[in-house]
Amino acid sequence: MVLVSAIAGFGVIVLYSAAGGSMTPWALNQLIRFTLFTGMALTLSRVPVELFAQLAFPAYGAVLIALIIVELIGGVAGGSQRWINLGFMQLQPSEFMKPVIVLAVARFYARLPVGETRRWTAIWPALLMIGLPWALVLIQPDLGTATMIAAGGVTVMFLAGLPLRLFIGAGLALAAAIPIAFSFLHEYQQKRVLIFMDPESDPLGAGYHISQSKIAIGSGGLWGKGYLQGTQSHLDYLPEGHTDFVFATMSEEWGLAGGVLLIAAFMLLFRWGIRVSMRARDRFAALVAAGLTTTIFFYVAINLMMVMGLAPVVGIPLPFMSYGGSSMLTVMLCIGIIMAVDRDSRQGISTGWR
């Protein structure tokens, strides 16, 4: 929690600068949300791992039903249908599916005898569990969240010990299907892919985000321009400088040194999660800890690649840094459950279970 708090605290500092030296409208709200979600994570850390296992399938079913409700009566904003209006808040069920898909697929393989992991019966149920929410989220449309759901579920399948040839074959088939899949994308999604291939083809239009992000990161140099001295974000050249492109805002003022230190902090967080997985006392706990750690990794990796022009812009925020409640809620759910696995393994060692 010290490490997570340090990253989130740095995020508040960056958001304060992004707002021109003001705690409102972003920094203060971000700080309040992190404080509340930290309490939630600490509460989750005391929940027995066995309870997470028992609730994995019911939670998956509940979120899947919520996704279907979104398609039927969900609110539309910005051309996307992603939310359920509860009156006091807008609920986005797809965010909950990111950790829930890991729990559900891990539960499936934990109940499956190890000797059956190489049979077809060990593959199609997991693919069905992943494919249903993936398709429902994709048609909202929300390509970024759909990608995260698929990545989390497939990662658990890989960690469960399925033959490597299946993933190689699936990867080759996916590569062959890319031209067909491209034709089914929405026009704005196709434009994002084309701009990723050649951002200079429309530098003032669809390629504006990536071009300005690269300028902000590059202009920071080794040590940055100095805190509160960024020009790309303060003069509004950099779009979404407090959300998806917050890393570019940070890099302009803190330079390469700040970027490397932030990435190193995330690496320490991933190292902790993997160590928790390796110490887990059963198969379900190990798969959950590794799967949720990988989910957070995908957040970080996709966002950094996106802002550097190494991947299409898909709207994936940077954990603890980007302004927003949904992504922070999801990541803190992951942190809380991993801490529960950590607590369970430590109690197991202390009471002689291992």
Side-chain angles (χ1 to χ4, degrees), residues 92 94-95 98 137 142-150 314 316:
Q92 187 175 351
S94 58
E95 282 294 327
K98 293 175 184 177
V137 174
D142 190 351
L143 179 60
T145 300
T147 301
M148 291 287 293
I149 291 171
V314 291
I316 298 295

Side-chain angles (χ1 to χ4, degrees), residues 207-276:
Y208 186 77
H209 287 68
I210 296 178
S211 298
Q212 294 301 319
S213 178
K214 288 182 177 180
I215 292 172
I217 295 173
S219 64
L222 183 60
W223 303 110
K225 296 179 179 178
Y227 188 51
L228 299 175
Q229 301 301 314
T231 56
Q232 292 297 112
S233 58
H234 292 174
L235 297 178
D236 293 330
Y237 285 109
L238 179 66
E240 307 297 335
H242 63 293
T243 53
D244 294 347
F245 290 87
V246 69
F247 184 81
T249 300
M250 183 278 301
S251 296
E252 184 182 17
E253 296 187 353
W254 297 82
L256 177 65
V260 169
L261 287 176
L262 180 60
I263 293 173
F266 280 120
M267 292 297 290
L268 289 175
L269 182 63
F270 304 147
R271 177 178 177 269
W272 165 74
I274 295 301
R275 286 171 64 89
V276 169

Side-chain angles (χ1 to χ4, degrees), residues 146-167:
T147 301
M148 291 287 293
I149 291 171
V154 171
T155 296
V156 176
M157 293 179 67
F158 176 78
L159 297 172
L162 268 66
L164 183 60
R165 66 177 183 274
L166 294 177
F167 296 94

Side-chain angles (χ1 to χ4, degrees), residues 79-321:
S80 298
Q81 189 172 0
R82 305 177 185 177
W83 298 272
I84 299 175
N85 188 353
L86 299 180
F88 61 94
M89 68 172 292
Q90 295 285 339
L91 180 67
Q92 187 175 351
S94 58
E95 282 294 327
F96 292 99
M97 186 55 78
K98 293 175 184 177
V100 167
I101 191 65
V102 171
L103 291 173
V105 177
R107 178 62 169 165
F108 170 74
Y109 284 110
R111 297 177 61 181
L112 192 73
V114 178
E116 296 185 14
T117 55
R118 292 181 175 271
R119 298 181 180 179
W120 176 242
T121 53
I123 301 172
W124 74 262
L127 290 178
L128 183 63
M129 279 195 293
I130 298 168
L132 287 175
W134 174 82
L136 288 171
V137 174
L138 190 64
I139 62 178
Q140 289 181 354
D142 190 351
L143 179 60
T145 300
T147 301
M148 291 287 293
I149 291 171
V154 171
T155 296
V156 176
M157 293 179 67
F158 176 78
L159 297 172
L162 268 66
L164 183 60
R165 66 177 183 274
L166 294 177
F167 296 94
I168 296 176
L172 294 175
L174 183 62
I178 286 178
I180 300 175
F182 181 81
S183 64
F184 286 96
L185 294 178
H186 290 262
E187 183 179 355
Y188 79 94
Q189 293 172 334
Q190 292 180 347
K191 187 173 292 186
R192 285 180 176 180
V193 175
L194 295 174
I195 287 300
F196 160 67
M197 302 297 293
D198 185 15
E200 302 303 325
S201 62
D202 189 11
L204 298 180
Y208 186 77
H209 287 68
I210 296 178
S211 298
Q212 294 301 319
S213 178
K214 288 182 177 180
I215 292 172
I217 295 173
S219 64
L222 183 60
W223 303 110
K225 296 179 179 178
Y227 188 51
L228 299 175
Q229 301 301 314
T231 56
Q232 292 297 112
S233 58
H234 292 174
L235 297 178
D236 293 330
Y237 285 109
L238 179 66
E240 307 297 335
H242 63 293
T243 53
D244 294 347
F245 290 87
V246 69
F247 184 81
T249 300
M250 183 278 301
S251 296
E252 184 182 17
E253 296 187 353
W254 297 82
L256 177 65
V260 169
L261 287 176
L262 180 60
I263 293 173
F266 280 120
M267 292 297 290
L268 289 175
L269 182 63
F270 304 147
R271 177 178 177 269
W272 165 74
I274 295 301
R275 286 171 64 89
V276 169
S277 174
M278 295 174 65
R279 291 196 302 262
R281 64 185 182 90
D282 60 47
R283 183 173 172 81
F284 172 77
L287 289 175
V288 165
L292 294 179
T293 300
T294 307
T295 297
I296 302 174
F297 167 79
F298 282 131
Y299 265 106
V300 175
I302 294 175
N303 178 271
L304 295 184
M305 292 174 66
M306 181 181 73
V307 300
M308 296 179 192
L310 301 176
V313 177
V314 291
I316 298 295
L318 185 62
F320 311 117
M321 298 288 292

